[in-house]
Amino acid sequence: MSGFTSRNILSRKGFCSVAVLGGLLIGSIPLQAFAFGFDDVARRAEELAQQGYSAPETAMPNELRELSYAEYAQIQYKRDRDVWSGTGSPFTLSFFHEGMHYGSAIQLNSIDSQGDVHNFAYNPDDFTYGDLNIPDGVKNSDDLGIAGLRINYAINDADRKDEVMVFLGASYFRAVGRGQVYGISGRGLAVDTGLPSGEEFPRFKEMWVVEPSQESQYLTIFALLDSPSVTGAYRFVLRPGDDTLVDVQSRLYLRRAVEKLGIAPLTSMYLYGPEQPSPTLNYVPAIHDSNGLLINDEQNGWTWRPLVNPARLMMNRQETPELGGYGLMQRGHNFSDYQDLDARYDQRPSAWIEPLNDWGPGSVELIQIPTDNETNDNIVSMWLPDGEHEPGTPLAFDYRMTTTVDEERHVDPQLAWVDETRRSRGEVVRDNLVREADGTLSFVLDFVGPALDGIGSNANISVQASVGDNGSLASSRVVPNPATNGWRVFVNVKRENTSQPLDIRAQLMRDGKPISETWYYRLPANG
């Protein structure tokens, strides 16, 4: 077993149908170093797009298909059989067995130092099966293959290689940095997510991993994506560290018109937290892989959107004429914020997406789905390009995904940022010091950051707050917070129609000028 538990790898619906930050850019590793490279994958994707779509075979035996989560987790790859183990390679590979809802095999290959391509074949002897009573005839079925890929690296202990990246299910992947555990997922592509017509799940049908040298600090993976509407060529350059970087190069070829094309989609989970407290008594104060969406648009600045678990599906977009980056973030990594010894939500990273070529105008969409437990990924965010998406011209979207627990790295140092959002009833304190509800809903925001350093309590600090048409602003005020060396904002609102959401915004001001990111909370309907 690796340093990360099977629960952390597999416990999210997103895997089903759902240090050094140095500049390793897409162009910094020459493609001509390989006899097989990105251009070859792009040609295959383009040729595939000219053909009709063939759905993957799913002839997995029932004995494997009907496994529960706990049963499937017992099937483990033998670590002494890791690819490149014992060669001095800094990276090794291990594989996932087919089972449960992972019933479509991936064609996996390696590219050796001479540029030659070698196929990885499924072998039941590479796996242990725990106490599962799976017949040999099932294990040796000709219908079985490799379901997914683990990439291992000595990120936490020089004497042990832990998982740093996983590809499993459709086009889903996860990565972690030093001391982190799996939480948020990335995806190669999202198609028609949230539309009444139904979502399409493109899948990586074939992958190639370039064999690293003993001195390699990165690993290169190529992938061929396929779906009824689109094909794609991908190149992932993985660089583990305190922050793990994944540079993604992609070329997309449409088979048919696509209404909604989601670029660099992220999938996460939010059950409850201070932003939306648990409706039931629980000693765990927060359960989430992410607690907010951060957007940086060069024209519109920085926006922080606390997440919610709505009573019904909630979707909305924010225009980004010139996207600087966006990410589903986990602001807060103190164990006391979560108190969960098993899930360790305090160690789950944020994921930040930064374009590496010109994406043009578009919008970031946030989809928030109701859930009553933490096993379901209910948060999706992606970037949607403007315009029509018709077959003909390839689409190129390159980006860097950073997994980090150092969220201050992804804020504007000239602006304060929201350290925590707390939702509460509005109160009034009577002369006898008794607190009474005042009929409003209150949001308490703690702004922190270097932009507030040295600002005395007598400074001309104010809050600019507003609400949408479905409510009114009852009051807003700001006070110094000496405990954080920041400022605390109180925003009290009233909503008119509880069956409709209410948009609330706030920003810290000094002498009438913004000195913070914009806080934007969408109060969910009936919630």
Side-chain angles (χ1 to χ4, degrees):
M1 282 290 289
S2 71
F4 303 115
T5 67
S6 295
R7 178 187 180 213
N8 287 333
I9 299 169
L10 302 171
S11 63
R12 291 289 173 264
K13 190 175 180 181
F15 265 44
C16 314
S17 70
V18 241
V20 181
L21 190 63
L24 184 65
L25 297 177
I26 287 291
S28 64
I29 302 172
L31 291 177
Q32 61 268 25
F34 311 124
F36 181 93
F38 181 77
D39 290 343
D40 298 280
V41 185
R43 279 192 293 271
R44 293 194 184 196
E46 186 172 20
E47 293 168 359
L48 193 62
Q50 307 306 315
Q51 307 168 16
Y53 175 69
S54 296
E57 296 182 3
T58 55
M60 185 169 57
N62 287 336
E63 291 88 344
L64 293 170
R65 185 182 307 279
E66 295 173 358
L67 292 176
S68 68
Y69 158 75
E71 290 171 331
Y72 177 66
Q74 292 187 50
I75 306 178
Q76 295 290 322
Y77 195 81
K78 296 175 181 176
R79 293 302 305 274
D80 60 357
R81 300 201 178 192
D82 280 3
V83 178
W84 307 319
S85 179
T87 66
S89 168
F91 296 90
T92 66
L93 308 178
S94 50
F95 306 128
F96 286 96
H97 201 286
E98 284 191 71
M100 204 168 56
H101 33 246
Y102 305 117
S104 299
I106 300 175
Q107 179 67 51
L108 285 174
N109 312 279
S110 68
I111 305 173
D112 66 20
S113 59
Q114 304 303 311
D116 296 325
V117 176
H118 306 272
N119 170 244
F120 292 121
Y122 163 76
N123 182 352
D125 293 336
D126 290 337
F127 296 88
T128 60
Y129 293 83
D131 59 10
L132 300 178
N133 186 22
I134 299 177
D136 289 341
V138 171
K139 297 176 184 177
N140 290 286
S141 171
D142 291 338
D143 295 325
L144 291 182
I146 297 169
L149 172 67
R150 286 182 170 109
I151 301 170
N152 312 301
Y153 181 84
I155 194 167
N156 297 307
D157 187 329
D159 297 325
R160 185 188 71 242
K161 288 184 171 63
D162 291 329
E163 297 160 19
V164 292
M165 191 171 187
V166 168
F167 291 87
L168 180 64
S171 66
Y172 286 87
F173 59 91
R174 282 178 171 163
V176 288
R178 187 170 290 114
Q180 302 168 16
V181 301
Y182 288 122
I184 192 169
S185 302
R187 267 198 278 175
L189 192 68
V191 176
D192 292 344
T193 307
L195 295 184
S197 58
E199 181 171 2
E200 185 175 297
F201 288 90
R203 63 182 290 266
F204 291 134
K205 64 179 296 180
E206 188 167 5
M207 302 180 73
W208 299 260
V209 186
V210 179
E211 182 177 353
S213 69
Q214 294 186 5
E215 294 77 29
S216 292
Q217 295 181 334
Y218 58 84
L219 187 72
T220 301
I221 307 105
F222 300 107
L224 176 64
L225 179 133
D226 191 24
S227 82
S229 298
V230 64
T231 68
Y234 285 76
R235 177 174 179 250
F236 298 89
V237 179
L238 166 69
R239 186 173 183 175
D242 288 341
D243 290 349
T244 285
L245 311 180
V246 181
D247 286 343
V248 183
Q249 181 180 19
S250 70
R251 297 296 179 271
L252 305 177
Y253 303 86
L254 300 184
R255 280 193 170 105
R256 62 192 186 195
V258 173
E259 181 177 350
K260 189 174 178 182
L261 195 65
I263 306 302
L266 298 172
T267 303
S268 192
M269 181 276 296
Y270 181 92
L271 186 63
Y272 66 80
E275 306 85 357
Q276 184 184 21
S278 173
T280 58
L281 188 63
N282 198 316
Y283 78 93
V284 177
I287 294 179
H288 51 70
D289 288 336
S290 308
N291 62 356
L293 169 65
L294 181 64
I295 302 172
N296 174 31
D297 181 71
E298 299 298 337
Q299 292 189 31
N300 299 322
W302 292 78
T303 303
W304 172 248
R305 294 201 54 183
L307 300 178
V308 298
N309 180 5
R312 62 173 185 250
L313 177 68
M314 191 163 66
M315 303 169 54
N316 70 316
R317 302 178 184 179
Q318 178 172 320
E319 292 185 359
T320 56
E322 192 176 347
L323 181 69
Y326 84 96
L328 288 174
M329 315 298 279
Q330 182 81 316
R331 283 185 175 175
H333 296 283
N334 295 319
F335 176 77
S336 60
D337 294 335
Y338 305 93
Q339 293 292 334
D340 195 319
L341 291 171
D342 296 319
R344 295 308 303 267
Y345 290 107
D346 56 302
Q347 295 178 353
R348 304 203 177 198
S350 299
W352 179 252
I353 302 295
E354 177 187 359
L356 295 179
N357 64 339
D358 183 7
W359 286 14
S363 58
V364 174
E365 182 170 71
L366 177 62
I367 302 175
Q368 301 179 94
I369 305 166
T371 185
D372 58 3
N373 62 71
E374 62 194 284
T375 64
N376 296 317
D377 272 338
N378 65 320
I379 304 296
V380 181
S381 187
M382 67 192 79
W383 186 82
L384 305 172
D386 286 350
E388 302 293 328
H389 313 306
E390 301 282 349
T393 303
L395 303 173
F397 299 100
D398 304 337
Y399 60 93
R400 167 173 290 178
M401 185 178 84
T402 302
T403 58
T404 182
V405 294
D406 183 9
E407 284 74 24
E408 291 188 49
R409 203 175 283 239
H410 299 290
V411 296
D412 185 339
Q414 303 302 314
L415 296 175
W417 55 290
V418 181
D419 183 51
E420 190 157 21
T421 299
R422 295 177 181 85
R423 176 177 165 180
S424 179
R425 70 172 190 174
E427 295 179 333
V428 59
V429 180
R430 300 301 183 187
D431 291 342
N432 60 2
L433 302 184
V434 173
R435 298 172 184 261
E436 294 182 357
D438 64 6
T440 68
L441 186 63
S442 180
F443 292 90
V444 183
L445 323 175
D446 277 317
F447 285 89
V448 299
L452 302 179
D453 290 349
I455 296 179
S457 59
N458 294 325
N460 185 20
I461 303 295
S462 62
V463 56
Q464 179 175 287
S466 63
V467 299
D469 295 336
N470 187 32
S472 60
L473 179 66
S475 64
S476 63
R477 62 189 178 96
V478 58
V479 298
N481 185 344
T484 63
N485 293 320
W487 290 74
R488 174 166 288 185
V489 167
F490 298 84
V491 178
N492 287 44
V493 302
K494 290 185 177 181
R495 178 164 54 176
E496 294 178 2
N497 184 350
T498 58
S499 66
Q500 296 297 323
L502 174 64
D503 292 333
I504 313 164
R505 289 177 170 83
Q507 191 171 27
L508 207 59
M509 312 290 286
R510 183 181 187 186
D511 297 326
K513 297 180 180 179
I515 58 168
S516 77
E517 63 187 11
T518 299
W519 174 86
Y520 169 25
Y521 187 95
R522 171 161 276 205
L523 179 64
N526 303 316

